[in-house]
Amino acid sequence: MTVSTLTIRRPDDWHLHLRDGDMLRAVLPASASQYGRAIVMPNLRTPVTTAEAAVAYRERIESALPRNAAFRPMMTCYLCDTTDPAEVRAGFDGGAFAAAKLYPAGATTHAEYGVTSVDRIAGVLAVMQEIGMPLLVHGESTDPTVDVFDREANFLRTTLTQILASYPRLKVVLEHITTEEAADFVMRDASGRLAATITPQHLMFNRNAMFSGGIRPHYYCLPVLKREHHRQALRRAATSGSPAFFLGTDSAPHDTGAKESACGCAGIFSAPVALQAYLTVFEEERALHRFEAFASENGANFYGVPPNRQTMTFHRTPMQVTGHIDLPDGRRLQPFLAGETLPWSLASFSQEIAS
Ligand code: DOR
Ligand code: ZN
């Protein structure tokens, strides 16, 4: 039987890049109009490494919010070799930081100030474990001899295993997982302190999408899309009902000039369409009844915040995705699935419901 409407609690996006300045103003409405909260990534051109910088960035986001938006940005600390454990503790205790992000140095966009060796941040990780502050991990090995398609699996073996063993109570989110190895790794951990976010693109496409009829930069992100069996494993994980998997779009805008270039940037701007894309996947997997937990409950439980109190209703009415968004200086932004039609549309929000 085909379902024609679906009502869930308002979701949260547990992995989002909002950028700054004009780009922030262009992309924020798409997230703020749909999600209750988002974990905001700290990889700005000048990374967010202090509590003061996080509060200032949060204020810039809040002042760019559309009027009446009920959206709460949750800020993260960009970890460097030199990060001071006391700064992390004070930032978390004072509410500036909700979590800290581990980028292996050079792994991705603006990751050049990231961590060169986990040993360098031992003091920070010990404090995070003590205070219950989640560590968000970009899980890719940066060893240049490791094949780009093997970097996630390699990271699990070489680095994540070591982190989890050294800090047995540290809460960890393995961000944007892309492989069967990662899905199994998280599924096998029964402790409840390890979780993973999954993006819409890794659920919808395998690596062929990047090369169909030519090179397609709008399907390029990091970690890169993988083989079909990995996609199938991610779809099983997302729709399994396990509380360890939750929604994190990794929506990462770059203007079309930066994407369609001799050295195109990694990142897919999925915010306008991610919910409808996830819904399509859950429907295809006959798991619509598990969508609310994935989108609106598991992440909140992991982060220890209450689920949102509004509901959101989708109709099974086709929606055509915008072709592009104009930036003020003539640049353009192309969203994920631009021009395509998806089966679900966002219809309405309720007023607050009882928790
Ligand atoms: O594709 C990606 N884009 N992966 C990342 O890890 C970073 C992100 C960005 O900031 O553009
Ligand atoms: Zn990201």
Side-chain angles (χ1 to χ4, degrees), residues 57-261:
Y57 184 29
R58 181 167 62 205
E59 286 170 2
R60 294 198 296 282
I61 296 168
E62 284 169 350
S63 58
L65 278 173
R67 212 188 303 270
N68 300 325
F71 174 79
R72 184 155 78 86
M74 295 170 66
M75 311 311 290
T76 55
C77 174
Y78 183 119
L79 297 179
C80 309
D81 285 353
T82 53
T83 300
D84 179 359
E87 178 76 16
V88 172
R89 182 193 293 273
F92 184 71
D93 287 348
F97 297 137
K101 181 76 188 275
L102 167 56
Y103 289 106
T108 186
T109 310
H110 300 149
E112 56 272 30
Y113 309 102
V115 173
T116 60
S117 155
V118 169
D119 298 337
R120 302 273 176 104
I121 55 164
V124 171
L125 297 182
V127 163
M128 291 176 64
Q129 169 171 260
E130 180 199 326
I131 62 182
M133 179 177 184
L135 177 72
L136 317 184
V137 180
H138 182 108
E140 285 194 286
S141 165
T142 51
D143 176 346
T145 65
V146 176
D147 190 280
V148 67
F149 293 102
D150 296 335
R151 286 183 186 167
E152 183 173 276
N154 185 277
F155 181 91
L156 303 179
R157 288 194 298 274
T158 59
T159 310
L160 187 62
T161 306
Q162 177 205 338
I163 294 174
L164 295 174
S166 305
Y167 306 93
R169 296 184 320 285
L170 180 64
K171 292 173 80 166
V172 175
V173 184
L174 188 54
E175 298 291 343
H176 41 53
I177 60 169
T178 62
T179 57
E180 183 164 23
E181 288 88 339
D184 287 351
F185 194 102
V186 173
M187 194 77 91
R188 269 200 308 272
D189 182 284
S191 66
R193 57 83 175 237
L194 176 64
T197 52
I198 310 184
T199 77
Q201 64 266 23
H202 292 100
L203 293 170
M204 290 186 88
F205 295 100
N206 65 34
R207 64 191 192 175
N208 288 352
M210 284 184 297
F211 307 108
S212 81
I215 192 143
R216 300 212 175 246
H218 294 283
Y219 288 96
Y220 176 56
C221 64
L222 286 172
V224 71
L225 296 173
K226 302 294 192 306
R227 286 178 183 275
E228 177 62 9
H229 77 89
H230 295 297
R231 183 178 83 101
Q232 292 299 335
L234 298 175
R235 288 168 77 103
R236 285 195 299 278
T239 60
S240 65
S242 161
F245 299 99
F246 43 83
L247 186 157
T249 62
D250 197 16
S251 179
H254 294 275
D255 65 71
T256 45
K259 293 284 298 168
E260 299 169 7
S261 137

